[in-house]
Amino acid sequence: MDAVRVALLRDVLAGTQWLGATRHFAGTLRGSVVAHGGGLLLVGTPEYEPWHLAAHLVDEAAWSGTPELAPTLVRHDARPTDPAHLAVGPGRLEAARRGETLLVVAPGEPPAPLLERISDARRAGATLLALGPGEGELPALAHEVLPVPDGSELDLDTVQHLVSAAAGENALPARRGPRRFRDRLSRLADLLTAPPPTRW
């Protein structure tokens, strides 16, 4: 989903709780990784790996000049022969420490072994964010939750698009001195991809 489609989706969702909820969650995500200088781990379940969210966060990290948003995708079936960015397995969760952020994306309650690793990461000091189930052990463990229960107006994939786009937009504190070239380029890209103003 590109920036124009996200803008159109936001227009359709105006007046619903989704825009505020996704922006709040994205602000928490961005604030956590920026404050600690990065260290974003992204994990799904063995049946649901958040490939699209990982790719969109990498794009948003580049476009917004916020490299901290680029996640490490933790894969359940990672093999040593995979390319480096796809070879990080669940053992990485055991190494999570204070200053890192763990974003869990799951359509339902994760299996017990994964929940145990997530719980251990939180106990070790990682900030835990959850996107998906509104009830169960995962939301109870998380510092911040954006629930997407079954039967919602939006599916989990659509909500991930809104979160990643908002994470790239949430403003950082104003920089002192002249704006960097990347900041100016990002602002220009925002202007060029914004939908035309509505005329009444």
Side-chain angles (χ1 to χ4, degrees), residues 87-180:
V88 179
R92 175 61 179 88
L93 300 179
E94 295 165 12
R97 295 291 176 258
R98 183 172 308 282
E100 293 185 302
T101 301
L102 174 57
L103 173 56
V104 181
V105 181
E109 185 77 345
L114 177 56
L115 279 171
E116 186 175 331
R117 283 184 158 139
I118 291 167
S119 179
D120 289 346
R122 181 187 162 122
R123 276 196 297 275
T127 300
L128 175 58
L129 308 178
L131 179 56
E135 298 179 351
E137 195 171 340
L138 176 60
L141 284 171
H143 293 97
E144 185 77 30
V145 179
L146 179 55
V148 188
D150 286 337
S152 294
E153 303 91 346
L154 300 180
D155 62 17
L156 186 58
D157 290 336
T158 303
V159 172
Q160 290 175 71
H161 284 292
L162 292 170
V163 167
S164 62
E169 291 174 348
N170 282 305
L172 288 169
R175 299 178 187 274
R176 296 180 186 260
R179 289 171 54 189
R180 295 183 313 171

Side-chain angles (χ1 to χ4, degrees), residues 5-198:
R5 288 192 180 115
V6 169
L8 292 172
L9 178 59
R10 286 177 173 164
D11 284 346
V12 170
L13 295 173
T16 71
Q17 54 95 17
W18 286 108
L19 292 185
T22 53
R23 283 190 167 128
H24 173 78
F25 187 83
T28 301
L29 170 63
R30 182 169 177 150
S32 177
V33 298
V34 169
H36 294 107
L40 175 58
L41 302 174
L42 175 62
V43 66
T45 66
E47 297 77 27
Y48 185 91
E49 290 192 335
W51 293 90
H52 269 89
L53 181 57
H56 285 295
L57 285 172
V58 167
D59 289 344
E60 292 297 339
W63 293 333
S64 67
T66 313
E68 299 91 346
L69 280 175
T72 297
L73 179 62
V74 177
R75 300 181 57 230
H76 296 276
D77 61 351
R79 297 179 299 272
T81 56
D82 289 334
H85 68 288
L86 299 177
V88 179
R92 175 61 179 88
L93 300 179
E94 295 165 12
R97 295 291 176 258
R98 183 172 308 282
E100 293 185 302
T101 301
L102 174 57
L103 173 56
V104 181
V105 181
E109 185 77 345
L114 177 56
L115 279 171
E116 186 175 331
R117 283 184 158 139
I118 291 167
S119 179
D120 289 346
R122 181 187 162 122
R123 276 196 297 275
T127 300
L128 175 58
L129 308 178
L131 179 56
E135 298 179 351
E137 195 171 340
L138 176 60
L141 284 171
H143 293 97
E144 185 77 30
V145 179
L146 179 55
V148 188
D150 286 337
S152 294
E153 303 91 346
L154 300 180
D155 62 17
L156 186 58
D157 290 336
T158 303
V159 172
Q160 290 175 71
H161 284 292
L162 292 170
V163 167
S164 62
E169 291 174 348
N170 282 305
L172 288 169
R175 299 178 187 274
R176 296 180 186 260
R179 289 171 54 189
R180 295 183 313 171
F181 173 73
R182 202 180 312 181
D183 297 331
R184 294 193 307 269
L185 187 60
S186 176
R187 175 74 179 131
L188 176 61
D190 290 342
L191 291 172
L192 293 174
T193 58
T198 303

